[in-house]
Amino acid sequence: MPTHQSRQRQCKPAKMSQQTTPSGLDPVQVSSFRTHLSQSTRIVTIIGAGLSASSGLPTFRDINGLWCNHDVFLIASPAGFRRDPGLVWQFYSERRRAALRAGPNPAHYALVNLAKAKPGFVALSQNVDGLLQRAGLDENPKQLKLLHGNLFDLACAGNCGYVDYDNFVDPLCEVLSEGRVRASVMGADVAEGEKPPKASALLFEGIAKKNKKILGEEKFAEAAPTARDAAPLTELGQEVRVPEAAPELYSGIEKAELPQCPGCGENLLRPRVVWFGEALPEDVMEDVDALFKEEKVDLAIVVGTSSQVWPAAGFCEEARGRGAKVAWVNMSEKDCKNAKKEDWVFLGDAAVILPEILNLEGQE
Ligand SMILES: [Zn+2]
């Protein structure tokens, strides 16, 4: 029996006609976010590499080119530094140069303006590029917590405690000049068909374990981890070793040619960033703990970092636990997977979105 159900085509409203703000956002969402923002006093922003994408800086994982044949563990770990400090210094010299050539983008300035308007604003940043500071966020040190350090702070690689803050000299020494780094790394060829992985399986396994522990089995979804995700592995008692199949790549640079610690005169200097297998800076973590214990949090804004991995996932939940409403600003929907129904999700370039949604003057 034929049914009498109508086969008529449903006339759906074209998506294109849906009203959006100039940067393509839902005006209802923007308006409700701004209303909440204007009423918020304690605001926590959790920041990842996506904030600096518009400044042209690649994320750690996306750095390839000259470094694609290097296991990231060998260029960003204490073991890697002991093995070949020259190679590690060459890698960080390239990152310092890229950051020096880049400049803050409108997203950085929008956050700085918000910090000025809201004394209770705190940024928890995973970025080591110094762009937030260059945009002006370091005027009030309580408002910026660097979770992974800063490329432009140099520290004693031993234990003398010497730190050289905001050292923008480039190159730091002759062997770290652009020409020398390129010649040296290009020369370190790996035989065809023997290209090592970019990061070891052991490391990825450790990251997955840690994220499962933080998020719980149910919430955990497999996602490509970044080098930064691996930073606090030791806190969970993971043992991290240089993979056995480590490629035999050496810079050939003598220790005497690298930046020396003037504090003790015995050790090398190293970039003051958090490496694989190292804990996040204790003083910073104490501040962050206090932040979530003191009083309620009104608003958490997660910018340019995945919601599925540490530390964004953990901090976001902590803020939620203190009563915060949550907003996500990300290029990819995948990175907002853990967003709840009541959250705001703004997809797109942070450099376009943040100036729009954080514009307090535009508040009606
Ligand atoms: Zn020293």
Short mmCIF file of all heavy atoms in Angstrom, two decimals, residues 14-51:
data_model
loop_
_atom_site.label_atom_id
_atom_site.label_comp_id
_atom_site.label_asym_id
_atom_site.label_seq_id
_atom_site.Cartn_x
_atom_site.Cartn_y
_atom_site.Cartn_z
N ALA A 14 17.73 28.81 3.75
CA ALA A 14 19.13 28.70 3.33
C ALA A 14 20.03 29.17 4.46
O ALA A 14 19.76 30.17 5.11
CB ALA A 14 19.35 29.55 2.09
N LYS A 15 21.08 28.38 4.68
CA LYS A 15 22.01 28.74 5.76
C LYS A 15 22.65 30.10 5.53
O LYS A 15 22.96 30.82 6.47
CB LYS A 15 23.10 27.67 5.88
CG LYS A 15 22.69 26.57 6.84
CD LYS A 15 23.86 25.71 7.20
CE LYS A 15 23.44 24.72 8.28
NZ LYS A 15 24.49 23.73 8.53
N MET A 16 22.85 30.38 4.24
CA MET A 16 23.54 31.63 3.89
C MET A 16 22.79 32.86 4.41
O MET A 16 23.39 33.87 4.72
CB MET A 16 23.64 31.75 2.37
CG MET A 16 24.36 30.61 1.71
SD MET A 16 26.07 30.96 1.37
CE MET A 16 25.97 32.33 0.25
N SER A 17 21.46 32.73 4.51
CA SER A 17 20.69 33.91 4.86
C SER A 17 20.67 34.15 6.37
O SER A 17 20.20 35.16 6.84
CB SER A 17 19.25 33.77 4.36
OG SER A 17 18.61 32.75 5.10
N GLN A 18 21.19 33.16 7.11
CA GLN A 18 21.21 33.31 8.56
C GLN A 18 22.09 34.50 8.93
O GLN A 18 23.20 34.65 8.43
CB GLN A 18 21.79 32.04 9.19
CG GLN A 18 21.54 31.96 10.68
CD GLN A 18 22.25 30.76 11.29
OE1 GLN A 18 22.54 29.80 10.60
NE2 GLN A 18 22.53 30.87 12.56
N GLN A 19 21.56 35.30 9.83
CA GLN A 19 22.30 36.52 10.18
C GLN A 19 23.57 36.22 10.94
O GLN A 19 23.57 35.40 11.86
CB GLN A 19 21.41 37.41 11.03
CG GLN A 19 21.28 38.78 10.43
CD GLN A 19 20.64 39.73 11.41
OE1 GLN A 19 20.10 39.34 12.42
NE2 GLN A 19 20.73 41.00 11.10
N THR A 20 24.64 36.83 10.54
CA THR A 20 25.88 36.67 11.28
C THR A 20 26.51 38.04 11.51
O THR A 20 26.15 39.01 10.86
CB THR A 20 26.91 35.81 10.52
OG1 THR A 20 27.21 36.45 9.29
CG2 THR A 20 26.41 34.41 10.28
N THR A 21 27.44 38.08 12.45
CA THR A 21 28.18 39.32 12.68
C THR A 21 29.21 39.45 11.55
O THR A 21 29.41 38.50 10.79
CB THR A 21 28.92 39.25 14.02
OG1 THR A 21 29.94 38.26 13.91
CG2 THR A 21 27.98 38.89 15.16
N PRO A 22 29.87 40.61 11.43
CA PRO A 22 30.84 40.79 10.33
C PRO A 22 31.89 39.68 10.28
O PRO A 22 32.40 39.33 9.22
CB PRO A 22 31.48 42.14 10.66
CG PRO A 22 30.45 42.88 11.45
CD PRO A 22 29.70 41.84 12.23
N SER A 23 32.25 39.10 11.42
CA SER A 23 33.26 38.04 11.38
C SER A 23 32.62 36.64 11.35
O SER A 23 33.29 35.65 11.60
CB SER A 23 34.23 38.17 12.55
OG SER A 23 33.53 38.33 13.76
N GLY A 24 31.34 36.59 11.00
CA GLY A 24 30.71 35.29 10.77
C GLY A 24 30.19 34.59 12.01
O GLY A 24 29.94 33.39 11.99
N LEU A 25 30.05 35.31 13.11
CA LEU A 25 29.56 34.67 14.34
C LEU A 25 28.06 34.88 14.49
O LEU A 25 27.48 35.77 13.88
CB LEU A 25 30.29 35.26 15.56
CG LEU A 25 31.81 35.16 15.55
CD1 LEU A 25 32.39 35.87 16.77
CD2 LEU A 25 32.25 33.71 15.52
N ASP A 26 27.47 34.06 15.35
CA ASP A 26 26.05 34.17 15.64
C ASP A 26 25.83 35.38 16.57
O ASP A 26 26.35 35.40 17.68
CB ASP A 26 25.60 32.86 16.31
CG ASP A 26 24.14 32.89 16.72
OD1 ASP A 26 23.53 33.98 16.66
OD2 ASP A 26 23.62 31.84 17.11
N PRO A 27 25.08 36.39 16.11
CA PRO A 27 24.95 37.62 16.91
C PRO A 27 24.29 37.37 18.26
O PRO A 27 24.57 38.09 19.23
CB PRO A 27 24.07 38.53 16.04
CG PRO A 27 23.53 37.69 14.95
CD PRO A 27 24.36 36.46 14.83
N VAL A 28 23.43 36.35 18.35
CA VAL A 28 22.77 36.05 19.63
C VAL A 28 23.82 35.56 20.64
O VAL A 28 23.83 35.97 21.81
CB VAL A 28 21.66 34.99 19.44
CG1 VAL A 28 21.01 34.65 20.77
CG2 VAL A 28 20.63 35.50 18.44
N GLN A 29 24.70 34.69 20.14
CA GLN A 29 25.77 34.15 20.99
C GLN A 29 26.72 35.26 21.44
O GLN A 29 27.10 35.35 22.61
CB GLN A 29 26.58 33.10 20.21
CG GLN A 29 25.84 31.82 19.94
CD GLN A 29 25.83 30.92 21.16
OE1 GLN A 29 26.86 30.58 21.70
NE2 GLN A 29 24.63 30.59 21.62
N VAL A 30 27.10 36.11 20.50
CA VAL A 30 28.03 37.20 20.81
C VAL A 30 27.42 38.12 21.86
O VAL A 30 28.06 38.51 22.84
CB VAL A 30 28.40 38.00 19.54
CG1 VAL A 30 29.23 39.24 19.90
CG2 VAL A 30 29.18 37.12 18.56
N SER A 31 26.14 38.42 21.67
CA SER A 31 25.47 39.32 22.58
C SER A 31 25.37 38.72 23.98
O SER A 31 25.63 39.40 24.98
CB SER A 31 24.09 39.65 22.00
OG SER A 31 23.32 40.29 22.98
N SER A 32 25.01 37.43 24.08
CA SER A 32 24.88 36.84 25.42
C SER A 32 26.24 36.70 26.07
O SER A 32 26.39 36.89 27.28
CB SER A 32 24.12 35.51 25.36
OG SER A 32 24.99 34.44 25.06
N PHE A 33 27.29 36.42 25.26
CA PHE A 33 28.64 36.35 25.82
C PHE A 33 29.06 37.71 26.37
O PHE A 33 29.56 37.82 27.48
CB PHE A 33 29.64 35.89 24.75
CG PHE A 33 31.08 36.00 25.20
CD1 PHE A 33 31.65 35.02 25.99
CD2 PHE A 33 31.84 37.11 24.85
CE1 PHE A 33 32.96 35.14 26.45
CE2 PHE A 33 33.15 37.23 25.29
CZ PHE A 33 33.71 36.25 26.08
N ARG A 34 28.81 38.74 25.59
CA ARG A 34 29.23 40.08 26.01
C ARG A 34 28.51 40.54 27.28
O ARG A 34 29.08 41.21 28.12
CB ARG A 34 28.96 41.08 24.90
CG ARG A 34 30.05 41.12 23.86
CD ARG A 34 29.86 42.39 23.09
NE ARG A 34 30.65 42.45 21.89
CZ ARG A 34 30.32 43.23 20.87
NH1 ARG A 34 29.22 43.96 20.91
NH2 ARG A 34 31.09 43.29 19.81
N THR A 35 27.23 40.17 27.36
CA THR A 35 26.48 40.53 28.57
C THR A 35 27.13 39.89 29.79
O THR A 35 27.36 40.54 30.81
CB THR A 35 25.01 40.07 28.45
OG1 THR A 35 24.47 40.68 27.28
CG2 THR A 35 24.19 40.45 29.66
N HIS A 36 27.47 38.60 29.65
CA HIS A 36 28.10 37.91 30.78
C HIS A 36 29.48 38.49 31.07
O HIS A 36 29.87 38.68 32.22
CB HIS A 36 28.21 36.41 30.49
CG HIS A 36 28.73 35.63 31.67
ND1 HIS A 36 27.98 35.40 32.79
CD2 HIS A 36 29.94 35.07 31.90
CE1 HIS A 36 28.71 34.73 33.68
NE2 HIS A 36 29.91 34.51 33.17
N LEU A 37 30.22 38.80 30.00
CA LEU A 37 31.56 39.38 30.16
C LEU A 37 31.49 40.70 30.93
O LEU A 37 32.29 40.95 31.84
CB LEU A 37 32.18 39.61 28.78
CG LEU A 37 33.54 40.33 28.73
CD1 LEU A 37 34.63 39.44 29.34
CD2 LEU A 37 33.92 40.68 27.28
N SER A 38 30.51 41.52 30.60
CA SER A 38 30.42 42.84 31.24
C SER A 38 30.11 42.71 32.73
O SER A 38 30.47 43.57 33.53
CB SER A 38 29.37 43.71 30.54
OG SER A 38 28.09 43.18 30.80
N GLN A 39 29.48 41.58 33.10
CA GLN A 39 29.13 41.38 34.52
C GLN A 39 30.21 40.59 35.27
O GLN A 39 30.11 40.36 36.47
CB GLN A 39 27.81 40.61 34.62
CG GLN A 39 26.62 41.41 34.10
CD GLN A 39 25.44 40.52 33.72
OE1 GLN A 39 25.52 39.29 33.79
NE2 GLN A 39 24.35 41.14 33.29
N SER A 40 31.24 40.14 34.53
CA SER A 40 32.27 39.29 35.14
C SER A 40 33.40 40.11 35.74
O SER A 40 33.82 41.11 35.15
CB SER A 40 32.86 38.34 34.09
OG SER A 40 31.85 37.50 33.58
N THR A 41 33.88 39.68 36.89
CA THR A 41 35.06 40.34 37.45
C THR A 41 36.26 39.40 37.45
O THR A 41 37.36 39.81 37.13
CB THR A 41 34.80 40.84 38.88
OG1 THR A 41 34.26 39.78 39.66
CG2 THR A 41 33.83 42.00 38.89
N ARG A 42 36.05 38.13 37.80
CA ARG A 42 37.17 37.18 37.76
C ARG A 42 37.11 36.37 36.48
O ARG A 42 36.21 35.55 36.27
CB ARG A 42 37.14 36.28 39.00
CG ARG A 42 37.36 37.08 40.29
CD ARG A 42 37.68 36.17 41.45
NE ARG A 42 39.08 35.77 41.49
CZ ARG A 42 39.49 34.52 41.59
NH1 ARG A 42 38.64 33.53 41.61
NH2 ARG A 42 40.77 34.25 41.66
N ILE A 43 38.08 36.62 35.61
CA ILE A 43 38.08 36.00 34.29
C ILE A 43 39.40 35.25 34.10
O ILE A 43 40.48 35.83 34.27
CB ILE A 43 37.94 37.07 33.18
CG1 ILE A 43 36.64 37.85 33.38
CG2 ILE A 43 37.98 36.43 31.79
CD1 ILE A 43 36.54 39.11 32.54
N VAL A 44 39.33 33.97 33.75
CA VAL A 44 40.53 33.18 33.49
C VAL A 44 40.57 32.85 32.01
O VAL A 44 39.60 32.36 31.45
CB VAL A 44 40.52 31.87 34.31
CG1 VAL A 44 41.71 31.00 33.95
CG2 VAL A 44 40.52 32.17 35.80
N THR A 45 41.69 33.15 31.37
CA THR A 45 41.85 32.81 29.95
C THR A 45 42.92 31.74 29.83
O THR A 45 44.02 31.90 30.36
CB THR A 45 42.27 34.04 29.14
OG1 THR A 45 41.43 35.13 29.50
CG2 THR A 45 42.11 33.80 27.67
N ILE A 46 42.60 30.66 29.16
CA ILE A 46 43.55 29.57 28.97
C ILE A 46 43.99 29.61 27.51
O ILE A 46 43.18 29.50 26.61
CB ILE A 46 42.88 28.22 29.33
CG1 ILE A 46 42.42 28.25 30.79
CG2 ILE A 46 43.84 27.06 29.09
CD1 ILE A 46 41.19 27.42 31.07
N ILE A 47 45.29 29.85 27.32
CA ILE A 47 45.78 30.20 25.99
C ILE A 47 46.74 29.17 25.42
O ILE A 47 47.64 28.69 26.11
CB ILE A 47 46.48 31.58 26.07
CG1 ILE A 47 45.45 32.66 26.39
CG2 ILE A 47 47.22 31.90 24.78
CD1 ILE A 47 46.08 33.97 26.81
N GLY A 48 46.54 28.86 24.13
CA GLY A 48 47.44 27.94 23.45
C GLY A 48 47.96 28.54 22.15
O GLY A 48 47.74 29.72 21.84
N ALA A 49 48.62 27.71 21.36
CA ALA A 49 49.33 28.16 20.17
C ALA A 49 48.43 28.87 19.16
O ALA A 49 48.89 29.72 18.40
CB ALA A 49 50.01 26.98 19.50
N GLY A 50 47.13 28.54 19.16
CA GLY A 50 46.21 29.15 18.20
C GLY A 50 46.16 30.66 18.29
O GLY A 50 45.85 31.34 17.32
N LEU A 51 46.50 31.19 19.48
CA LEU A 51 46.49 32.65 19.64
C LEU A 51 47.53 33.31 18.74
O LEU A 51 47.32 34.39 18.22
CB LEU A 51 46.78 33.03 21.11
CG LEU A 51 46.78 34.53 21.41
CD1 LEU A 51 45.37 35.10 21.35
CD2 LEU A 51 47.40 34.82 22.77
#
